[in-house]
Amino acid sequence: MRLVRLTRRLLEAALVTTGVALLFAIAVLVAAGVVLRKLGAPIGWYDEIAGVLLAWLTWYGAALAALERAHLGMPDLVALAPPALRVPLVLVRAALVCGTMALVAWFGWQIVAILGDERLVTVPWLTVGVAQSAIPIAASLFVLAELLTLPDRLAEARAGAAAKDPERILLEAAR
Amino acid sequence: MSGLVLLLFLAVLVALDVPIAVALAILALAAFWAAQGFDALVTSAVTLFSASTNFPLLAIPLFILAGTIMNTAGITRRLVALAAALVGFVRGGLAMVNVAASLFFAEISGSAVADVAALGSVLMPAMQKRGYPKEFTAALTSSSASLAIIIPPSIPMILYAVMADASVVQLFVAGILPGLLGGGLMMGLCALYARRHGFPVEQAFDLCRLWAATREAGWTLLLPVIILGGIFTGTVTATEAAGLAVVAAVLVGALYRELSPRAILQGAREGVVQTAVVMLLIATSALLGEYLTEARIPQALTGAITGLTREPWAVLALLNLLFFVLGCFLHGAAAIILVVPIVMPIVRAVGIDPVHFGLVVTLNIAIGQQTPPVASVLMTACSIAKADIWAVTRWNLPFIGVLLLVLLLVTYVPAIPLALVELIYR
């Protein structure tokens, strides 16, 4: 369990740092894009790069959201199931989510391999492979995040809905 | 796979607590696999990537970040003080302040959850100290915060514009009159509540106090000028205005010397997660959308509905019902992303203006934020007030009634949302 907690903390720190850095980079880029355009010196590559940054934010942020269990869903229906069913349902869920994201990561690697050396239109020094690498990397991290949260989910399933913190139920529902 | 089978599988996956975004990916991959074989799935990665690079959607993280910075920069406190100086002198003054501050905040924030989190933590304790029931404070803060998504800028409107291929700017302009109408009606309802429950009068109206509050909030009031002025005059796009809003919020916070780097980082982290949750939904819904388009499911639905009726009022009634029911069970962003691309062919086929329909959808989302079990804004308000959701809902029913009335007016009197759009852009 100590290894799980340590891995979880490291993954969380890496994803938060990446996500926040991307968010600030987007803000600076968009604001600079407007100001420079108004000054008559537009940046030709700014919307393409901003789009790539948004895609990275989406995918690395999605892995962070998986770690924080923040993705939109209906968490309380499984908790209301009969006790004997809850653990199997949690395992089926984990298999579906991890399997799908593993497939997405696999397809992502294949696309990186096929298109990897092509260049972006306005930024020829950046390859499509680097831009699209966010999908396979982040989808793999998504799987890791799901596996790291599985012990908590299984513990909650064993305990049932009554053991869940009401505040947490409220916040999960609010999300 | 037919639409009904997909819907059934989606319900099963969501009931299993599979995140809706992942559930959409599962359905899309399974449907493509069944229709075209496993090799066809490789290109799904390209669709998932390109759907998450959509430039107009950059406004979402930027407005969330701007809202976070505003919360930590003393802007909320100054807006509340200004609203108090403006309307605090009537009976139930703090309730009026709550609605007025929401209207101000709505002009610089695109998110109702940001609105309720910012204003709720300031106003709800103050109202409770003055004898307002905590359930009433949560209900009012929650409902008035939903005005934030009707009044521009608005994240749901940006999402709708991308999904429906409609003009963001025209949607923003269309939201002004319904938002003000909703605010006015809510203030009227607060006056009735105040008389019935004997809510207190705050200090008497004082022009000097109003002037002082306006001066104090001076830089804050520049924010809506920059954001909305830039968008409405066509100087910047909604996305660029969101970028400028971040810079302006930082500058205003620096002027007030109230910026907290720690709070900004915490807010930015929440912004990253909120953005990713919505954007992943968009990416995977684009994948499913490709399958639905190839299978001609939206066209089949359009044919089925227009076979029943081609009357715009009847189609609007059906769609209102659909969004109202969905709003009770789905997060607003999910409802827009899932349903709008499917129903837009019907909307266009019967001649409903996409901007008009955008306001109808946005109002339904606002109502959905107030109707349990899935009611994001209401839950946030209850969480801050530490109040029971169902007890708050009882107080909230008249406010939901106000939102429903505005929805009916907007649905059947298109001039309310479209008058300003016609005047400025058509």
Side-chain angles (χ1 to χ4, degrees), chain B residues 220-251:
Chain B
T220 303
L221 295 177
L222 264 184
L223 288 170
V225 175
I226 293 170
I227 298 169
L228 299 184
I231 297 172
F232 293 160
T233 56
T235 312
V236 291
T237 64
T239 307
E240 292 170 340
L244 290 182
V246 173
V247 175
V250 169
L251 290 177

Side-chain angles (χ1 to χ4, degrees), chain B residues 283-375:
Chain B
T284 55
S285 72
L287 197 57
L288 186 61
E290 272 190 4
Y291 172 75
L292 294 179
T293 308
E294 281 188 24
R296 300 185 60 78
I297 288 176
Q299 288 81 349
L301 188 68
T302 305
I305 290 190
T306 50
L308 282 175
T309 176
R310 291 191 68 89
E311 290 294 334
W313 68 267
V315 172
L316 280 169
L318 282 173
L319 292 176
N320 264 327
L321 190 65
L322 173 70
F323 273 100
F324 181 78
V325 173
L326 280 175
C328 295
F329 299 99
L330 266 184
H331 189 277
I336 292 176
I337 293 163
L338 287 176
V339 180
V340 167
I342 296 172
V343 301
M344 276 323 283
I346 305 169
V347 170
R348 292 185 200 279
V350 299
I352 299 167
D353 189 309
V355 173
H356 176 207
F357 185 61
L359 256 290
V360 171
V361 171
T362 309
L363 271 158
N364 272 294
I365 299 306
I367 294 165
Q369 291 173 338
Q370 306 301 323
T371 48
V374 177

Side-chain angles (χ1 to χ4, degrees), chain B residues 69 73 75 247-260 264:
Chain B
I69 296 170
I75 289 172
V247 175
V250 169
L251 290 177
V252 170
L255 280 169
Y256 290 149
R257 297 169 191 273
E258 287 188 36
L259 277 181
S260 154
I264 290 175

